[in-house]
């Protein structure tokens, strides 16, 4: 990377100072506790460096020292180090406790955020399922493709036939064509053109020969 190329974010700045001061900074594993006032040392060492500004250094350093891996490294009995990796005194207990508290608070925030995301995801999934069910409920019922049948029943085909002269005899059972259908009857009396018949209900009537069927 050329000196004229500006670093654009804290991640790049941390990687750069870890490259310049590998005995002090690291981008992997547990980080070493830093010397108090390390920012001033950094600013002086990189004063002529055009890649990074003091503002970028301050922001990147704040991100570095608030990371979990740095807070994990702040333990009782551990020495702070300067830019060259020289020990600069053992960590004070209050600093250890502060780091442990900050670490637990950071982890608690992450757990709470993940829980909120899980709840939101479950709610979104439930809402989506409810909308799907609602859409299914609104789906039009399939149309009945069966042909509609007429409300009026079709008249059965007339299978009767006209009487022959030989069949016109008193006592013979016949059918009387009443227009809307044939009525069963028996011949009571007849002459040349008219025939008297008795219907099954006992009623007698005179009909024309042409209205009798078999």
């Amino acid at each position: 990377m050329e000196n004229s190329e500006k670093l654009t974010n804290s991640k790049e700045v941390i990687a750069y100072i870890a490259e310049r001061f590998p005995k002090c900074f690291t981008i992997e594993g547990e980080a070493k506790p830093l010397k108090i006032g390390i920012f001033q040392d950094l600013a002086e060492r990189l004063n002529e460096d055009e890649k990074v500004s003091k503002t970028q250094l301050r922001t990147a350093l704040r991100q570095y020292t608030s990371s979990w891996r740095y807070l994990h490294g702040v333990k009782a009995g551990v020495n702070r180090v300067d830019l060259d990796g020289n020990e600069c005194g053992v960590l004070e207990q209050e600093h250890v406790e502060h780091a442990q508290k900050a670490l637990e608070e950071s982890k608690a925030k992450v757990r709470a955020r993940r829980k909120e995301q899980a709840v939101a995801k479950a709610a979104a999934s439930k809402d989506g399922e409810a909308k799907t069910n609602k859409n299914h409920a609104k789906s039009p019922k399939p149309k009945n493709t069966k042909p509609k049948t007429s409300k009026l029943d079709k008249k059965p085909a007339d299978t009767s036939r006209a009487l022959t002269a030989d069949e016109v005899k008193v006592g013979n059972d016949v059918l009387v064509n009443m227009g809307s259908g044939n009525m069963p009857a028996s011949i009571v009396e007849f002459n040349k053109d008219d025939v008297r018949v008795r219907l099954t209900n006992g009623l007698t009537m005179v009909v024309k020969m042409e209205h009798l069927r078999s």
Side-chain angles (χ1 to χ4, degrees), residues 55-73:
T55 300
Q56 287 178 309
L57 282 176
R58 184 178 289 107
T59 301
L61 195 59
R62 187 182 300 115
Q63 180 176 318
Y64 184 83
T65 56
S66 63
S67 66
W68 288 7
R69 63 193 190 87
Y70 180 86
L71 295 175
H72 270 296

Side-chain angles (χ1 to χ4, degrees), residues 125-135:
S125 177
K126 186 176 182 180
D127 184 54
E129 183 178 349
K131 288 182 178 180
T132 299
N133 292 337
K134 186 176 180 181
N135 290 336

Side-chain angles (χ1 to χ4, degrees), residues 23-24 30-36 38 70 72-83 85-92 95-96:
K23 294 182 179 180
C24 179
E30 192 172 274
K32 298 175 182 179
L34 301 176
K35 168 192 172 182
I36 295 176
I38 196 77
Y70 180 86
H72 270 296
V74 181
K75 303 174 184 177
V78 177
N79 283 287
R80 293 180 181 273
V81 297
D82 64 11
L83 293 177
N86 300 315
E87 296 182 352
C88 301
V90 179
L91 286 166
E92 296 181 9
H95 294 161
V96 174

Side-chain angles (χ1 to χ4, degrees), residues 10-30:
S10 294
K11 185 177 180 180
E12 290 183 354
V13 173
I14 293 172
Y16 180 61
I17 60 179
E19 179 184 348
R20 290 290 303 273
F21 309 103
K23 294 182 179 180
C24 179
F25 295 95
T26 177
I27 58 175
E28 294 180 352
E30 192 172 274

Side-chain angles (χ1 to χ4, degrees), residues 29 51 60 69 72 92 130 141 145 151 169 178 185 188 210:
K51 291 182 180 180
R69 63 193 190 87
H72 270 296
E92 296 181 9
K141 294 182 179 179
T145 57
K151 292 183 179 180
K169 297 178 179 180
M178 305 293 290
V188 177
E210 60 195 49

Side-chain angles (χ1 to χ4, degrees), residues 40 61 71 75 96 99 138 164 170-172 175 178 205 208:
Q40 191 59 40
L61 195 59
L71 295 175
K75 303 174 184 177
V96 174
K138 288 185 175 181
T164 64
V170 175
N172 277 6
L175 294 175
M178 305 293 290
M205 59 188 301
K208 293 294 183 180

